[in-house]
Amino acid sequence: MRPSIKQVAHLAGVSIATVSRLLNKPGSVSAETAEKIHRSIAELGFRPNFTGRNLRAGNSRTVGVVVPTLSNTVFAQCLQGIELAARALDYSVMFTTTEYLPEDESAAVELLLGHRVDGVILTVADAGANATLDLLERERIPFVLAYNQLAAAAADADAEGATHRASVSVDNRAAACDAVSHLIGLGHRRIQMLSGRFNASDRAMQRYCGYLDAMQAAGLAPLPAIEVERHTLTAATDYQQMMADPLHRPTALFCSNDLLALSAMRDLRALGLQVPEDISVMGFDGIPVGALMQPVLASVVQPSEQIGDVALRTLVDAIERALPAAAAAAAVEEAPVPVIAGVRHILPHTLREGGSVAPPAPASC
């Protein structure tokens, strides 16, 4: 059981009402009393029940959004979908980023909860094992994952009664398999995956599994994935060893996101290689700028704005279904609010054909 406001008050030697006043209006109690209460909160590891507080104060009609970055336009498109849907439903949006640092996810969520958001939409490094999501569930804060795709076994309720988590995504594994199968269909046999760090993105890992599925289904030997720190920080030196032998280098690269694919095209040109004459490049995301490149970047297209729209509407539905239970619970301090079981939305992906992909040169086959 998590610590209650009653325990904080008892340890600090004050009334529950005094603790409540401090939490809701920090300037309403003396500095000496506030210090005693803060010491008790720290010692017990107490966190306020934000859902109950919002209901007592009138819910904020604000949702929080946590994404890795806005430098990748995938997340900017998603945020646009969230914002437009929120505006239609008379909700406001607050957002923050984690810069792909898993350790910053908890701080980002705490920041939003401190502003009394009613729920959170977030993209995390690993949705399967994530302390921040566990915290949101303990606090009964409605949340929806965007882009993260839980495996069915982990997402569905198990024998212990655990609830699955709401999410909106494409099927990353199936989409990657389709992309690599397209390359195989063009005649490519030596296909290598270029990816961001798997420990920073469970989506990248799922896409690697899709790469393996396609290669194995075609009876081809998969090549080791090349992981890079950031999609915008690749350099020509990353490719020199891989590309040194024309007879053994890959004839196609499958990249875990479009920014990485565009960086790869830049770096391959720096090595004197032509795309797609010397090597094909396939991306994942379908960001609009890829269609403006020469050659056009072939890519798996995610409906990012729709992902944002569906995530927001799913979250608002969870918030508003939770309101009656939360209102009843708010009458009794720290009474539990039922967790709203989530639903997994898998949206369709498409393949954008582009000039960055072509059959391999005869000598390379």
Side-chain angles (χ1 to χ4, degrees):
M1 295 292 292
R2 63 190 179 90
S4 68
I5 193 172
K6 183 177 180 180
Q7 291 172 293
V8 171
H10 177 75
L11 183 60
V14 299
S15 68
I16 292 174
T18 300
V19 177
S20 181
R21 284 202 309 277
L22 175 70
L23 295 174
N24 289 284
K25 295 181 179 179
S28 63
V29 301
S30 69
E32 181 182 355
T33 300
E35 184 179 354
K36 289 193 295 183
I37 295 172
H38 284 309
R39 282 201 304 266
S40 298
I41 287 172
E43 183 175 338
L44 293 171
F46 171 77
R47 290 186 73 258
N49 183 328
F50 286 100
T51 303
R53 283 172 56 185
N54 282 355
L55 264 293
R56 286 189 293 275
N59 64 307
S60 66
R61 298 192 72 82
T62 301
V63 299
V65 180
V66 180
V67 293
T69 181
L70 291 182
S71 65
N72 187 336
T73 56
V74 164
F75 298 113
Q77 289 175 272
C78 179
L79 186 59
Q80 179 167 312
I82 291 170
E83 168 63 27
L84 291 175
R87 195 182 307 167
L89 296 175
D90 195 27
Y91 274 74
S92 298
V93 177
M94 290 185 63
F95 74 90
T96 185
T97 64
T98 61
E99 292 304 314
Y100 290 97
L101 297 173
E103 61 269 24
D104 285 358
E105 291 171 357
S106 178
V109 167
E110 290 281 2
L111 173 67
L112 294 172
L113 294 182
H115 286 83
R116 297 187 180 183
V117 298
D118 295 328
V120 185
I121 297 169
L122 65 170
T123 303
V124 296
D126 182 1
N130 190 284
T132 300
L133 302 184
D134 294 340
L135 172 66
L136 288 170
E137 286 185 338
R138 286 197 304 272
E139 293 290 339
R140 273 56 177 180
I141 303 295
F143 68 90
V144 176
L145 293 164
Y147 296 103
N148 294 111
Q149 177 191 356
L150 287 167
D156 293 329
D158 59 23
E160 299 298 322
T163 58
H164 63 264
R165 290 165 170 170
S167 62
V168 186
S169 69
V170 298
D171 188 328
N172 287 282
R173 185 167 182 166
C177 184
D178 286 349
V180 177
S181 296
H182 178 68
L183 294 172
I184 294 170
L186 291 173
H188 292 278
R189 296 296 177 264
R190 295 192 305 279
I191 304 169
Q192 193 149 28
M193 183 167 178
L194 192 62
S195 175
R197 294 292 180 188
F198 292 147
N199 62 3
S201 171
D202 55 7
R203 287 86 63 208
M205 190 67 218
Q206 289 158 358
R207 293 166 195 176
Y208 179 61
C209 290
Y211 161 81
L212 294 176
D213 291 342
M215 295 293 282
Q216 291 166 357
L220 300 175
L223 300 175
I226 299 173
E227 296 179 64
V228 298
E229 288 295 338
R230 288 294 299 269
H231 48 68
T232 55
L233 296 179
T234 56
T237 54
D238 295 331
Y239 304 94
Q240 286 176 348
Q241 184 176 0
M242 179 176 68
M243 300 299 171
D245 186 347
L247 296 179
H248 295 92
R249 70 188 178 207
T251 62
L253 287 178
F254 169 56
C255 302
S256 65
N257 64 66
D258 279 354
L259 289 186
L260 187 55
L262 295 174
S263 296
M265 291 168 67
R266 174 201 65 195
D267 296 340
L268 291 168
R269 284 194 296 270
L271 291 174
L273 297 174
Q274 299 298 312
V275 176
E277 291 82 3
D278 296 313
I279 185 167
S280 289
V281 177
M282 169 73 75
F284 195 113
D285 283 334
I287 62 176
V289 71
L292 304 178
M293 303 302 294
Q294 182 60 33
V296 170
L297 176 63
S299 182
V300 174
V301 180
Q302 297 194 86
S304 289
E305 190 167 328
Q306 186 185 3
I307 287 174
D309 178 279
V310 174
L312 186 283
R313 294 179 188 277
T314 301
L315 180 63
V316 168
D317 181 64
I319 290 168
E320 296 188 350
R321 283 190 291 123
L323 288 177
V332 180
E333 188 66 50
E334 302 302 321
V337 179
V339 174
I340 299 298
V343 59
R344 285 175 292 143
H345 296 280
I346 300 295
L347 303 186
H349 64 273
T350 58
L351 283 182
R352 180 175 69 202
E353 296 187 8
S356 67
V357 163
S364 303
C365 296

